[in-house]
Amino acid sequence: RKEVEQDPGPFNVPEGATVAFNCTYSNSASQSFFWYRQDCRKEPKLLMSVYSSGNEDGRFTAQLNRASQYISLLIRDSKLSDSATYLCVVNNRVDSSYKLIFGSGTRLLVRP
Amino acid sequence: NAGVTQTPKFRVLKTGQSMTLLCAQDMNHEYMYWYRQDPGMGLRLIHYSVGEGTTAKGEVPDGYNVSRLKKQNFLLGLESAAPSQTSVYFCASSDRDRGGDTQYFGPGTRLTVL
C-alpha cells in the first residue's frame, strides 16, 4: 500500500465549476500536510499547508481529518489557469530529520 | 535570489556512462534533497542532507551517490548509468528551523539513459 494515495484523475471540469480532491495517508504519526501544485514539465510548488482546523486561501480550501487519515482540497470557481497536477504531501519525522512523502498526484483539466 | 538551480537541464547518456548533477541554493537552507519523478510513481526520495558534510539514504538510493561539501551545493552522481535511471530529477531545499516543512524545488533535470 502506498503511504500517500490519490486518485490520478484526470478531473475534467468547466470553468467556474467547483472540484474536490481527496488523499489518504497511512502513517497515523504524520506531522504536517500540504498540497503542492505541479504544472506540466515544471517543478512542484507549495500551494498551501493543511491545518487540523481547516484553512482557506482565496478559492482554495484544505481540510484534514486525522481520525480517518485523509486530506482534501476544494477549488471553487475553477479557472483555466488551475489546470495542473495537485500533489498531496505528508511530512513524517524520521529520527532527527523530516521527510516529505508525495502522492502521485491528481490531474485537473479546466475547459473553457 | 535565484532560489534552487540545477544543471544540466537535459542529458542523454549511454548505459554505463557516469555523470554528476549539480544543485545549488542561495537561501541558506540546511536541508537539501534529491528526488526522481517517474510517471504514476510520484516523487521518490533518493538521498538527502541535513547539513554541510552530511548525507543520508532515502527511499531509492541504489545506483546513486551524493556529496554535500558546501552548504549551498548538493551533488548527485551516477557511477554507471542504467536505462532504469531514465527519469526527471528534482533537487529541493528547506529550512531546518521550520522542520523542513516547505521544500523549494529546482526546475529539474531530464535524464535519458539509452
Side-chain angles (χ1 to χ4, degrees):
Chain A
R1 182 188 171 191
K2 291 182 180 178
E3 288 193 67
V4 177
E5 296 207 58
Q6 295 182 252
D7 180 342
F11 286 65
N12 192 325
V13 303
E15 264 187 298
T18 295
V19 62
F21 310 135
N22 285 333
C23 159
T24 58
Y25 61 95
S26 61
N27 187 343
S28 60
S30 295
Q31 303 224 330
S32 48
F33 309 88
F34 310 89
W35 285 101
Y36 276 68
R37 170 190 169 130
Q38 186 172 23
D39 293 300
C40 188
R41 302 179 73 83
K42 298 286 189 180
E43 72 272 23
K45 292 183 179 179
L46 179 67
L47 177 66
M48 60 195 303
S49 301
V50 186
Y51 304 122
S52 297
S53 55
N55 49 301
E56 189 173 308
D57 183 2
R59 298 181 291 108
F60 298 83
T61 300
Q63 298 273 0
L64 167 64
N65 185 319
R66 283 192 182 268
S68 301
Q69 294 181 210
Y70 81 80
I71 306 154
S72 65
L73 177 68
L74 181 78
I75 305 175
R76 291 180 299 277
D77 189 22
S78 299
K79 310 293 184 192
L80 295 176
S81 57
D82 293 335
S83 296
T85 297
Y86 291 84
L87 308 177
C88 174
V89 184
V90 170
N91 195 357
N92 295 337
R93 179 158 188 169
V94 179
D95 298 325
S96 59
S97 65
Y98 298 84
K99 289 182 185 175
L100 293 189
I101 309 297
F102 288 80
S104 53
T106 297
R107 191 168 170 216
L108 172 65
L109 300 172
V110 181
R111 63 182 188 271
Chain B
N1 287 354
V4 181
T5 58
Q6 292 182 232
T7 52
K9 288 187 169 53
F10 304 92
R11 186 73 186 268
V12 178
L13 290 179
K14 294 181 179 178
T15 296
Q17 287 185 317
S18 63
M19 78 164 294
T20 300
L21 282 67
L22 172 64
C23 175
Q25 54 96 3
D26 60 3
M27 296 174 283
N28 202 35
H29 285 167
E30 289 287 342
Y31 297 167
M32 294 188 75
Y33 312 83
W34 275 107
Y35 295 91
R36 60 177 290 173
Q37 187 174 35
D38 302 293
M41 298 289 290
L43 283 147
R44 291 184 291 168
L45 184 64
I46 304 171
H47 286 281
Y48 64 101
S49 169
V50 299
E52 181 179 318
T54 75
T55 63
K57 293 180 180 180
E59 181 185 354
V60 288
D62 294 342
Y64 306 94
N65 56 75
V66 288
S67 63
R68 183 107 181 261
L69 299 179
K70 294 183 178 180
K71 185 176 182 179
Q72 63 268 34
N73 295 338
F74 195 29
L75 278 61
L76 177 71
L78 285 73
E79 291 181 344
S80 179
S84 60
Q85 294 178 304
T86 293
S87 188
V88 181
Y89 292 86
F90 287 103
C91 175
S93 71
S94 64
D95 185 347
R96 176 188 60 191
D97 291 339
R98 294 191 58 198
D101 267 0
T102 302
Q103 293 194 2
Y104 297 86
F105 285 82
T109 296
R110 297 181 183 281
L111 175 66
T112 301
V113 183
L114 302 175

